[in-house]
Amino acid sequence: MNPLLAGPVEMTLALALVKTLVLIVGSVITYFSFKAYRRTRQRALGYLTLGFGLVTLGFVLAGMLYELLEVHLVTGILLESLLVLAGFVVIAYSLYVQ
C-alpha cells in the first residue's frame, strides 16, 4: 500500500500509533533521566528530565487537544511547537550547566 495514497482513516490510525509510540519512548527516557537525577542529585540531570518531559508532552499534545477538546488544529500545533521549543531550550541549558 502506498502511504501517499492512504485514506484519512489509515493516516489517522498511523498518526495515533506514532504519537503513542512517541509518548511511550519519551516517557521511558524521561523516567530514566529522572532516576539518574534522583540517584545523583545533579542539577543538570534535573533540567534534562524537565526538558525531555516538555518535548514528550509537546509531541503528544496537539493531537490530543484537537481530538479530545476540539481545539483548532493550528492552535494545537502552535502549543506543541512552543512546548517542544521550551523543552529543547531546557535540554540545551542542562548540557551547559555544570
Side-chain angles (χ1 to χ4, degrees):
M1 176 170 80
N2 185 348
L4 297 176
L5 300 177
V9 173
E10 292 87 1
M11 292 302 285
T12 301
L13 289 175
L15 182 60
L17 176 65
V18 170
K19 290 289 188 173
T20 302
L21 292 173
V22 167
L23 177 62
I24 291 168
V25 173
S27 296
V28 168
I29 292 170
T30 303
Y31 171 73
F32 284 131
S33 65
F34 180 70
K35 276 182 57 173
Y37 166 72
R38 263 196 343 205
R39 187 175 58 251
T40 64
R41 294 291 181 198
Q42 290 184 3
R43 191 172 67 171
L45 286 174
Y47 286 126
L48 189 67
T49 300
L50 176 64
F52 280 129
L54 287 172
V55 169
T56 301
L57 179 65
F59 277 135
V60 172
L61 197 61
M64 286 178 46
L65 288 174
Y66 177 72
E67 291 294 332
L68 300 178
L69 301 178
E70 298 179 7
V71 172
H72 288 285
L73 185 59
V74 173
T75 304
I77 292 172
L78 176 62
L79 184 58
E80 170 188 17
S81 299
L82 288 171
L83 283 171
V84 170
L85 174 64
F88 282 145
V89 167
V90 172
I91 289 170
Y93 182 73
S94 77
L95 297 174
Y96 175 75
V97 172
Q98 296 287 331

